[in-house]
């Protein structure tokens, strides 16, 4: 029996975005809620709230608006894939379909910095995506609860890359 085919989300992006944060593929909790980084133990909203000075517990639409106001976009490398559960290691490699980054970068030419939320996002982007332009790239520690680095260490690494 084949794993279910999962579909990602459209990007969170506002005009003038300068930073693009890329995950790999939304997890089960996010897909269920239809919200990026919905798992309660994922540190994404706490990290970005700290960096861009907004309440990480605010309603989802308010957090999305705050990121846009800070010039930050969010998307995933994968448009679709097959996977059981939430772990990136469970993605069936032959099923991966990347999002259209040429179209995104053409529509949003102000994006100058792509930040990978974890190693899988970087690995799959470099494997599946070919783009004509070269923004700055940074791999950051995953905000996933499966990545057991302490919150303060994740925050420090994100701060150095994103605001440094």
């Amino acid at each position: 029996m084949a794993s279910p085919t999962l579909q990602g989300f459209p990007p969170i992006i506002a005009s003038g975005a300068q930073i693009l944060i890329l995950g790999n593929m939304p997890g089960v909790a996010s897909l269920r809620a239809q919200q990026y980084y919905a798992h309660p133990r994922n540190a994404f909203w706490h990290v970005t709230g700290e960096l861009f000075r907004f309440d990480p517990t605010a309603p989802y639409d308010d957090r999305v608006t705050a990121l846009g106001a800070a010039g930050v976009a969010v998307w995933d490398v994968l448009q679709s894939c097959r996977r059981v559960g939430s772990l990136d290691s469970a993605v069936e490699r032959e099923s991966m379909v990347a999002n259209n980054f040429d179209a995104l970068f053409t529509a949003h030419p102000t994006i100058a910095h792509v930040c990978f939320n974890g190693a899988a996002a970087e690995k799959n982007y470099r494997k599946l995506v070919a783009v004509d332009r070269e923004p700055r790239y940074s791999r950051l520690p995953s905000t996933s609860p499966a990545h057991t680095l302490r919150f303060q260490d994740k925050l420090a690494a994100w701060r150095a890359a994103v605001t440094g």
Side-chain angles (χ1 to χ4, degrees), residues 3-41:
S3 301
T5 299
L6 308 174
Q7 297 294 319
F9 305 141
I12 293 173
I13 194 162
S15 178
Q18 297 169 345
I19 297 170
L20 173 61
I21 299 173
L22 288 178
N24 193 47
M25 182 72 182
V28 172
S30 294
L31 291 167
R32 190 175 300 125
Q34 289 294 292
Q35 297 179 355
Y36 280 98
Y37 301 103
H39 191 289
R41 289 185 29 235

Side-chain angles (χ1 to χ4, degrees), residues 66-105:
L67 283 179
V72 177
V74 178
W75 208 15
D76 287 302
V77 173
L78 300 180
Q79 173 189 37
S80 65
C81 69
R82 288 190 312 274
R83 177 189 69 207
V84 174
S86 294
L87 295 177
D88 289 329
S89 60
V91 171
E92 295 175 18
R93 299 296 168 211
E94 73 284 352
S95 73
M96 296 188 300
V97 176
N99 275 309
N100 186 342
F101 287 92
D102 277 330
L104 183 88
F105 290 141

Side-chain angles (χ1 to χ4, degrees), residues 65-149:
T65 299
L67 283 179
V72 177
V74 178
W75 208 15
D76 287 302
V77 173
L78 300 180
Q79 173 189 37
S80 65
C81 69
R82 288 190 312 274
R83 177 189 69 207
V84 174
S86 294
L87 295 177
D88 289 329
S89 60
V91 171
E92 295 175 18
R93 299 296 168 211
E94 73 284 352
S95 73
M96 296 188 300
V97 176
N99 275 309
N100 186 342
F101 287 92
D102 277 330
L104 183 88
F105 290 141
T106 298
H108 299 278
T110 55
I111 294 173
H113 189 184
V114 174
C115 297
F116 299 108
N117 187 352
E122 180 185 33
K123 176 183 172 189
N124 290 330
Y125 181 91
R126 295 197 186 279
K127 177 181 176 184
L128 300 170
V129 178
V131 293
D132 289 333
R133 58 188 293 250
E134 287 294 323
R136 179 176 156 218
Y137 293 103
S138 299
R139 183 173 86 188
L140 303 173
S142 174
T143 58
S144 167
H147 187 70
T148 58
L149 191 65

